[in-house]
Amino acid sequence: MYGGYSSAFDKAQGRDRAGLARAGINSRLNVEYCTAGPIGLEQLRTEITEVARTFGVPERGAELIAEEQRRIDAVTARVKDRPRPAVFVYDSGDGSASTSGGGGMGNEILSLAGGTNVFADLKGTFADVSWEKVIERKPEVVLVYDYGGTTVEAKKQRLLNDPALAEVPAVKNRRFVVLPLSSAVLGVRVADAVESLGRSLHPDAA
């Protein structure tokens, strides 16, 4: 059993890793949730290599790593001399905001695409922050993670309808970009995410 998030092995749901092992089922958790420290392209290579080996297709893993790197390098070359906008990642939340911290692949994707995460100083893949902190950091762009039952449009309206956020540059200028949450984690969609976000942040880049 392969899990992309720690919640895949929720003991309360009867699928903790120790229980699976007792039942004779091997398990693997994405390295993003097994690593102490920032996640980047080195960990992406490790994840793809080990998963490909686990499922008996190591050559496909090597090919994928090379292709991902080629595509990512093309984006970073296009945006390297561009101003890097300050970006607030809005995952979810009403009373407070769930955002991307500096420890996860989401932060690395944002950096590779030519942006700067305003909460990169926070440890971990995700973090909860107050709206006051969002206001203080004056993001120029809001990156909305698209997933689950709350639509992107509903998330945008939550920000646009909050008077406290009216003078935040990204909200005032209605500068929103969108990324599927499934592309913002360590996995085979990283190059897709970097390309998509690079185009959104720097639409005039050659």
Side-chain angles (χ1 to χ4, degrees):
M1 180 174 176
Y2 175 73
Y5 292 92
S6 300
S7 57
F9 301 111
D10 186 354
K11 186 173 183 178
Q13 297 293 323
R15 54 176 186 264
D16 61 296
R17 299 183 76 179
L20 290 170
R22 287 193 295 273
I25 301 171
N26 293 326
S27 64
R28 176 186 169 82
L29 177 61
N30 187 303
V31 72
E32 183 162 7
Y33 294 92
C34 300
T35 303
I39 297 294
L41 295 182
E42 180 181 349
Q43 288 73 30
L44 176 63
R45 288 188 290 270
T46 297
E47 182 69 7
I48 293 174
T49 298
E50 293 184 357
V51 170
R53 186 172 64 235
T54 297
F55 289 100
V57 287
E59 69 290 341
R60 289 176 61 186
E63 292 170 2
L64 179 58
I65 289 169
E67 179 64 10
E68 291 272 313
Q69 190 67 60
R70 182 194 66 77
R71 293 168 60 193
I72 291 167
D73 288 346
V75 176
T76 57
R78 287 197 301 271
V79 305
K80 66 178 181 179
D81 296 324
R82 303 278 171 162
R84 300 175 66 86
V87 181
F88 161 56
V89 178
Y90 183 37
D91 176 272
S92 60
D94 191 18
S96 62
S98 176
T99 191
S100 174
M105 196 65 209
N107 182 73
E108 180 73 357
I109 288 168
L110 182 49
S111 180
L112 291 166
T116 299
N117 179 5
V118 296
F119 289 108
D121 58 314
L122 302 181
K123 294 181 180 180
T125 300
F126 292 99
D128 288 326
V129 297
S130 69
W131 292 110
E132 289 77 12
K133 288 293 184 183
V134 176
I135 294 166
E136 285 175 10
R137 301 199 179 191
K138 299 180 173 65
E140 301 165 82
V141 180
V142 174
L143 168 57
V144 180
Y145 280 166
D146 182 11
Y147 72 99
T150 304
T151 65
V152 168
E153 188 57 33
K155 291 182 180 182
K156 289 180 181 179
Q157 289 303 315
R158 189 265 171 256
L159 303 180
L160 290 168
N161 294 338
D162 188 339
L165 303 177
E167 295 303 314
V168 171
V171 177
K172 185 176 183 178
N173 297 321
R174 293 175 175 257
R175 191 171 180 197
F176 298 97
V177 298
V178 179
L179 199 64
L181 180 61
S182 58
S183 297
V185 295
L186 192 71
V188 298
R189 298 187 181 97
V190 167
D192 292 341
V194 173
E195 288 176 340
S196 175
L197 193 52
R199 288 192 297 269
S200 296
L201 293 177
H202 301 282
D204 58 342

